[in-house]
Amino acid sequence: MTKANTDAVGWSVPDELLHRIAERAPGYDAANAFCTEDLDELRAAGYLRIGVPVEQGGAGLGLGATARVQRALAQAAPATALGLGMHQVWVQAARSVTARGGSFLQAVTDHAADDHLLAFGVSEPGNDAVLFDSSTTAEPDGDGGYRFTGTKVFTSLAPAWDVMSVFGKDTSGSEPRLVHGFVLRSDGDVEHLDDWDTLGMRATQSRTTKLHGVHVPADRIVRSLPVEPNQDPLVFGIFAAFELLIASVYVGIAERAIALAATAVAGRTAADGTRRSQDPDVRRAIADLRGAVDAITLQVDSLARSVDELDDLGARWFPLLVGTKARAVDTAQHVVDEAVRVVGGSAFRSSSELARLARDVRAGQYHPSSRDSAARTIAASVLGPLG
């Protein structure tokens, strides 16, 4: 295991806890079970509050420092880092909104300060527009609240969340609006299907969610936005935190794959007595992987720093965010595949940690923004929108 040190940012996962999390990861994967013990121990250690301001009992970590925590956690257990990372996305989105003068996500910070677990109910089947359109209906209740009906997919933390975001489309007015609010576990009318049986990232239990007219009162409705791409502080906060914290998980997977490959080749000896780690081809392969991971690590760190320091990148923000996420995922998959090749047949065993990483890393292509979506965003920033 690598050290959990996060460059003296004020909080890190204790090394002994990282060790226990790593030991549990294969069992969660094999049993297709939610990472309940990981959540319990991390909650007790203050993980849910790392981005909460110090004056509210948190560690006050910004996006860059949280990304480093997520990288360390992903090296121990990628699915735990990915699933629980959805909570950190909301905490950092609220931090971004507050830093830019908004207060409409203060309740998110308050929930995190009380160790409540936050989840996303955003993704929908067939909805490539993600935050810019919705197939979920939002029916006004006449008092400023809404009833939400629809299907959400990839709902991480389904067995355990305390507070879940929802959004849907209100078509009752002259122009459709996208309405964002928060559901409490006690509200009812939310059904999670037991349908999470996937190739990898199994401990996230990101199940399909059915909203059966769940009521969200006015005091838990936080935003009403047009049905179109926009840079509203809510959209920016979610996008920035989601893309960079997701990327950080995959950087962590890639770093772990390199460490496993290095250990494996150092322990192997050829028939002539030469260590495999002295093979020039192996050394070149490991060097190439390390260089690739260094590049995406620097990209994630630099962009997270820009978010924390309130840099004004204007129209460049979204191409940079989606591009960084897409490059991180593609690089991580390449690194894991090459690590498996370098290690050889032992990595093909189902008990091999590299084999599990080879499955987990493939989930990255399904998180927004996809490679194709990122390419469209980047192309539009260079060539202008399609006619």
Side-chain angles (χ1 to χ4, degrees):
M1 291 299 302
T2 56
K3 298 288 283 183
N5 197 333
T6 53
D7 300 329
V9 296
W11 195 93
S12 62
V13 185
D15 287 339
E16 60 275 15
L17 176 51
L18 272 182
H19 180 72
R20 291 194 296 275
I21 288 171
E23 286 188 325
R24 287 191 289 258
Y28 290 141
D29 177 71
N32 192 28
F34 181 67
C35 54
T36 301
E37 294 88 351
D38 291 355
L39 170 59
D40 289 345
E41 288 206 65
L42 284 164
R43 177 183 263 138
Y47 171 81
L48 299 187
R49 290 178 274 113
I50 61 175
V52 172
V54 173
E55 57 270 24
Q56 284 191 259
L61 269 58
L63 184 56
T66 300
R68 291 192 288 274
V69 171
Q70 289 302 103
R71 282 208 299 268
L73 187 55
Q75 290 179 61
T80 294
L82 180 65
L84 299 185
M86 293 303 101
H87 171 91
Q88 302 301 352
V89 171
W90 264 124
V91 175
Q92 289 301 318
R95 187 180 180 90
S96 172
V97 166
T98 300
R100 287 161 177 78
S103 60
F104 57 86
L105 288 185
Q106 181 58 44
V108 167
T109 302
D110 295 342
H111 280 301
D114 290 335
D115 281 331
H116 296 162
L117 186 64
L118 294 146
F120 274 88
V122 170
S123 296
E124 298 165 339
N127 179 13
D128 292 336
V130 193
L131 285 171
F132 301 137
D133 201 354
S134 177
S135 58
T136 296
T137 61
E139 180 184 358
D141 67 0
D143 292 317
Y146 286 83
R147 294 190 179 277
F148 293 84
T149 303
T151 299
K152 303 293 184 177
V153 293
F154 295 106
T155 312
S156 296
L157 308 172
W161 59 264
D162 300 302
V163 184
M164 183 180 72
S165 70
V166 292
F167 91 120
K169 185 157 55 180
D170 173 11
T171 59
S172 62
S174 58
E175 296 289 339
R177 303 286 292 181
L178 296 174
V179 181
H180 295 258
F182 289 91
V183 172
L184 305 182
R185 196 95 189 184
S186 58
D187 287 337
D189 294 325
V190 176
E191 176 190 8
H192 292 299
L193 305 185
D194 188 8
D195 63 347
W196 189 249
D197 188 9
T198 52
L199 180 70
M201 292 296 188
R202 289 157 65 81
T204 65
Q205 289 299 301
S206 304
R207 303 172 184 178
T208 298
T209 300
K210 300 279 189 178
L211 306 176
H212 300 295
V214 60
H215 182 243
V216 179
D219 62 351
R220 285 193 261 128
I221 298 296
V222 297
R223 217 64 173 160
S224 175
L225 300 173
V227 182
E228 60 186 19
N230 62 82
Q231 294 195 31
D232 183 85
L234 174 67
V235 173
F236 175 79
I238 293 174
F239 242 100
F242 186 92
E243 299 295 86
L244 296 180
L245 292 182
I246 287 287
S248 294
V249 169
Y250 289 91
V251 172
I253 292 174
E255 289 179 331
R256 181 61 179 161
I258 293 174
L260 290 169
T263 299
V265 300
R268 288 184 58 187
T269 304
D272 63 0
T274 304
R275 289 184 181 178
R276 184 157 169 74
S277 61
Q278 300 303 303
D279 184 321
D281 293 332
V282 170
R283 296 178 71 84
R284 175 58 184 268
I286 296 292
D288 287 346
L289 299 185
R290 183 69 260 175
V293 175
D294 286 344
I296 57 172
T297 300
L298 289 170
Q299 290 177 56
V300 172
D301 286 349
S302 176
L303 207 50
R305 187 180 308 113
S306 288
V307 174
D308 286 336
E309 296 180 358
L310 308 184
D311 289 348
D312 183 7
L313 302 185
R316 292 290 293 144
W317 268 120
F318 286 94
L320 287 171
L321 289 167
V322 299
T324 297
K325 180 268 175 183
R327 286 188 295 274
V329 167
D330 286 349
T331 298
Q333 183 165 322
H334 167 72
V335 167
V336 173
D337 287 347
E338 283 297 292
V340 169
R341 182 186 67 80
V342 167
V343 169
S346 64
F348 194 61
R349 299 181 65 86
S350 62
S351 59
S352 163
E353 185 176 349
L354 267 175
R356 175 161 51 84
L357 295 186
R359 291 185 289 106
D360 282 349
V361 76
R362 278 158 176 77
Q365 63 190 302
Y366 302 108
H367 312 308
S369 292
S370 67
R371 182 192 298 167
D372 291 343
S373 176
R376 289 193 293 269
T377 299
I378 296 168
S381 73
V382 178
L383 301 172
L386 288 169

